[in-house]
Amino acid sequence: MLRIGLTGGIAAGKSAVSRQLGDLGAVVVDADLLARRAVEPGSPGLDEVVAAFGPEVLGADGSLDRPALGRLVFADGSARERLNAIIHPRVRAEASRLIGEAPDDAVVVEDIPLLVETGQASRFHLVVVVDAPDEVRIERMIGQRGMERGDAERRIAAQAPRPVRLREADAVLLNDRGLGDLHAATAALWDGRIVPFRDNLAAGRPAARRLGRAPAGLAGTSGLGRRLQAKLTAALPAGAVVEPEGGTGEAPDTVSRGTSAYDDAVSAVVRVGVPSAVGPGTASMAVAGAGFPRTGSSREQSGDGICAVHRAADPALDVTVLVRTLPDPA
């Protein structure tokens, strides 16, 4: 199963990408939709929201008055945290149920507006960020949603800034023009990267070596070594450690607002050190599950301690992961 985390700031175009990925065959788990279901009339979630914020967040028909609640939480960080504490556990529980029902060879897209804010990036094979400059998003909210400028600016300020969101991206879909361009970029990402990644992962094989042409969906990425370390660390058993080494092409961890000063590094070699008590086989299985299948070069214990060689199933990357046994402490 290929797990994709899809995110983007308000009015960036994430919903359009989510719908298109669903049409292309992905299993889409929409956090916004699940959040709405969590506070339907008569639900325990709605009862908790009313208890936390008062009956003024209810409409005349007893349903949640979302604009009224929005005015409260987007102007008050502590109120937003209280709301998240009610909604997020319910959303995650229902998302887990839906993912558990998906086929083993599915592409599962979790559409999560606050993916970065809630620290979930490292649990996905790919994080796809739909991006647009802040001023473009403000104009969309004013023109398409009828918001006042101040309200639109507060909505943007309540989410992670663009540089923070972009630093977690494995792929960026820039939506600063029209929907036609966004749809074309999404289709190219699906055909050129997502489908081959899914197929490689399902077959337990690394991607073919890159031939010098960057596949779709790389523009805007930065900090490959940092992102690899986070993904592998999240997947590995306790006691195993990630040791990045040369070729990561590390870039600054921030991206300037409104610029294209990105680093598109695609190559890295990473060593995973495993205590003998953990066992390299356990770590090797975890590395494969994180998107780096074992290769034909894998071997038993060698002079440098390497017992397994893994490579990325993602066709956009040229990444090798070496699993080695750590020396026993003296």
Side-chain angles (χ1 to χ4, degrees):
M1 180 182 293
L2 179 65
R3 303 184 309 276
I4 296 177
L6 175 66
T7 194
I10 186 169
K14 175 182 59 62
S15 295
V17 172
S18 181
R19 287 192 295 271
Q20 185 175 356
L21 291 175
D23 291 342
L24 289 168
V27 175
V28 177
V29 179
D30 186 334
D32 269 346
L33 177 61
L34 298 184
R36 288 177 179 273
R37 290 177 179 170
V39 290
E40 288 178 340
S43 67
L46 182 58
D47 291 342
E48 284 196 42
V49 169
V50 173
F53 299 101
E56 59 269 25
V57 300
L58 287 178
D61 61 354
S63 64
L64 184 64
D65 185 337
R66 296 181 185 281
L69 181 61
R71 286 190 292 272
L72 284 174
V73 301
F74 284 106
D76 183 342
S78 62
R80 196 159 58 249
E81 289 178 4
R82 290 201 304 277
L83 179 63
N84 290 342
I86 295 169
I87 302 298
H88 287 174
R90 290 177 165 84
V91 169
R92 288 176 180 172
E94 181 62 8
S96 295
R97 184 187 69 79
L98 293 173
I99 293 166
E101 295 175 351
D104 290 342
D105 60 351
V107 174
V108 174
V109 175
E110 294 189 53
D111 180 340
I112 307 176
L114 300 180
L115 183 151
V116 172
E117 290 87 340
T118 52
Q120 300 184 63
S122 62
R123 70 183 182 88
F124 295 102
H125 293 113
L126 280 178
V127 172
V128 178
V129 173
V130 186
D131 182 47
D134 290 352
E135 188 57 33
V136 171
R137 295 189 289 139
I138 289 170
E139 291 302 323
R140 287 173 182 163
M141 283 186 274
I142 294 171
Q144 299 173 13
R145 306 187 187 189
M147 288 187 183
E148 298 292 333
R149 173 170 285 272
D151 191 15
E153 291 174 345
R154 283 190 291 273
R155 296 292 180 106
I156 286 179
Q159 295 183 328
R162 285 180 69 211
V164 173
R165 191 179 297 110
L166 287 168
R167 75 189 298 270
E168 302 299 340
D170 300 304
V172 178
L173 294 171
L174 183 59
N175 181 27
D176 59 351
R177 297 183 181 179
L179 277 178
D181 289 336
L182 180 62
H183 288 157
T186 303
L189 177 65
W190 176 266
D191 292 335
R193 187 172 183 185
I194 292 174
V195 169
F197 195 169
R198 175 202 63 193
D199 293 346
N200 290 336
L201 200 62
R205 67 183 177 229
R209 291 279 186 169
R210 286 170 40 80
L211 299 177
R213 185 174 66 85
L218 280 180
T221 61
S222 66
L224 175 63
R226 168 180 48 77
R227 289 183 284 113
L228 288 173
Q229 185 161 5
K231 292 178 191 294
L232 288 168
T233 299
L236 287 168
V241 295
V242 183
E243 309 165 315
E245 64 178 51
T248 60
E250 280 289 292
D253 284 344
T254 60
V255 179
S256 300
R257 289 176 184 266
T259 76
S260 59
Y262 301 128
D263 166 56
D264 296 341
V266 297
S267 299
V269 176
V270 183
R271 288 178 180 266
V272 171
V274 186
S276 58
V278 173
T282 301
S284 189
M285 289 179 61
V287 170
F292 306 91
R294 197 162 172 162
T295 75
S297 300
S298 302
R299 56 188 183 272
E300 296 303 318
Q301 196 80 18
S302 65
D304 55 6
I306 296 172
C307 15
V309 180
H310 296 251
R311 286 188 53 77
D314 182 350
L317 299 180
D318 182 11
V319 172
T320 299
V321 181
L322 306 175
V323 178
R324 67 188 187 96
T325 303
L326 294 172
D328 289 327

